[in-house]
Amino acid sequence: MPISVLDKFLERGGATFTPSTVLPTILEVLAQEGYCPQRDGQMRIIYKNKGNPCYFFYREDDPEFLLAQASFKPDGYRDVDELLLHKVCSRTNATQEAGKAYIDEEGGLTFTVESFILPDTPLAPLTLHMCRALEMTLAFFHRTLREVTEEQKAEKGDADTSTTLLPPLGSLPS
């Protein structure tokens, strides 16, 4: 059985947290910041950030990996061409260092921020950093979607970009 990075540090006595404290710490940090998080099962915390449903996933059997995620059903994007969404995801992924955007099998959008938790990693600042990185990825994606849509309209000679089918700036369909 392969030895994990965390196991190597535990052998040296360098760990400052135990896997069982990760989700409770994240829950407490998010609550202190006013996100009203809820624990959903053994691996997930749900919270809303600017109205967008977001999640932290953590498994004690994979204690070195933490995932922050926001997912949106395809319904909110049914009026947006799938190739355009792929283009925007590509731009987002090429530009954003921490966050990534994906289109899932059903056509929904998933945004992620991933991190390794090494011993001595302060969980509170990491939680806030991941939360903010996810928020910035969502905002960047939405801004890029609006820009690419307007570029395509301009290429087609449609000068009126005010009639876009996109949601208002700063929000994503749920």
Side-chain angles (χ1 to χ4, degrees):
M1 179 174 185
I3 190 164
S4 71
V5 173
L6 182 63
D7 291 337
K8 290 177 186 177
F9 280 99
L10 288 172
E11 287 175 1
R12 295 184 199 149
T16 59
F17 68 90
T18 57
S20 63
T21 65
V22 172
L23 284 178
T25 300
I26 292 170
L27 191 67
E28 181 181 331
V29 169
L30 292 174
Q32 288 173 353
E33 292 296 314
Y35 288 109
C36 302
Q38 296 178 350
R39 183 124 182 217
D40 179 36
Q42 298 215 318
M43 300 184 309
R44 185 169 81 164
I45 291 176
I46 301 169
Y47 69 102
K48 286 201 174 195
N49 189 344
K50 296 190 177 185
N52 297 313
C54 300
Y55 313 92
F56 271 94
F57 291 96
Y58 179 77
R59 292 185 7 218
E60 289 183 29
D61 63 344
D62 187 12
E64 300 138 355
F65 183 73
L66 180 62
L67 173 72
Q69 177 178 309
S71 298
F72 301 91
K73 296 179 182 176
D75 301 0
Y77 295 95
R78 66 181 166 270
D79 296 330
V80 181
D81 179 62
E82 187 174 347
L83 288 175
L84 180 120
L85 288 176
H86 281 285
K87 183 176 184 178
V88 175
C89 284
S90 181
R91 280 194 192 178
T92 300
N93 295 342
T95 306
Q96 296 295 294
E97 293 180 5
K100 301 300 174 202
Y102 307 93
I103 299 173
D104 65 24
E105 305 83 44
E106 292 87 34
L109 289 168
T110 299
F111 301 88
T112 63
V113 174
E114 302 171 352
S115 182
F116 287 105
I117 305 175
L118 299 175
D120 299 325
T121 299
L123 291 175
L126 176 62
T127 298
L128 295 177
H129 172 74
M130 291 178 74
C131 187
R132 180 74 176 141
L134 187 59
E135 177 184 330
M136 296 306 294
T137 302
L138 289 165
F140 182 87
F141 177 88
H142 188 257
R143 191 171 47 252
T144 304
L145 179 57
R146 184 170 301 281
E147 290 169 2
V148 170
T149 300
E150 290 173 0
E151 287 170 11
Q152 285 188 345
K153 283 185 175 187
E155 288 173 4
K156 292 179 182 177
D158 184 2
D160 182 15
T161 58
S162 64
T163 58
T164 181
L165 297 173
L166 300 177
L169 188 61
S171 67
L172 289 172
S174 56

